[in-house]
Amino acid sequence: MNKHIDERLSLLQLAPHAMIRMAQRGISTPDLDLITQIGTEVEGGYLVREKDFRALERELSHLRDQARRLVGKRIVLDGDRIITTYHADRGKERRLLRTRK
């Protein structure tokens, strides 16, 4: 999330009228956060356009593909230092999961 938007959201207060309208229109508090993250800033607020939604879909698709590629990959840490990385086979996965900390 854009740091500027994040800082601004923390300062915003919901007016009683806004709370009533949100309830009537099925807009939740987490929805407000998402609107500010993916929407386009317009005069006096934010608007989620179809174009914004499609851009999010592309980002999520890319993230899903990247995560799928990382299944079975492991990093080995020593404190806050990465020592090595490798692809764990099924047997190694089971052993690691059995001896979790």
Side-chain angles (χ1 to χ4, degrees):
M1 179 196 279
N2 182 321
K3 185 176 180 183
H4 172 71
I5 293 171
D6 194 27
E7 289 171 357
R8 183 169 174 200
L9 275 179
S10 65
L11 301 174
L12 295 177
Q13 301 281 326
L14 276 176
H17 175 78
M19 290 187 283
I20 292 168
R21 292 301 189 194
M22 287 170 59
Q24 291 173 337
R25 295 170 177 156
I27 298 173
S28 68
T29 304
D31 290 341
L32 298 178
D33 185 45
L34 187 57
I35 289 168
T36 61
Q37 287 183 54
I38 68 171
T40 298
E41 194 165 354
V42 294
E43 182 182 343
Y46 295 89
L47 172 68
V48 178
R49 304 168 300 159
E50 183 67 29
K51 182 178 181 178
D52 300 322
F53 175 73
R54 285 193 311 269
L56 176 64
E57 275 189 316
R58 281 190 304 277
E59 286 179 40
L60 291 174
S61 177
H62 175 73
L63 181 61
R64 184 194 64 231
D65 294 344
Q66 183 180 10
R68 180 175 290 127
R69 186 179 61 79
L70 296 175
V71 169
K73 304 297 190 283
R74 178 171 187 232
I75 61 173
V76 178
L77 304 174
D78 182 15
D80 62 350
R81 190 169 168 211
I82 297 174
I83 302 300
T84 191
T85 63
Y86 65 90
H87 183 84
D89 60 31
R90 265 208 195 278
K92 183 66 174 179
E93 281 185 34
R94 280 193 291 271
R95 285 189 297 279
L96 287 167
L97 292 170
R98 215 176 16 243
T99 61
R100 267 192 275 188
K101 284 188 175 183

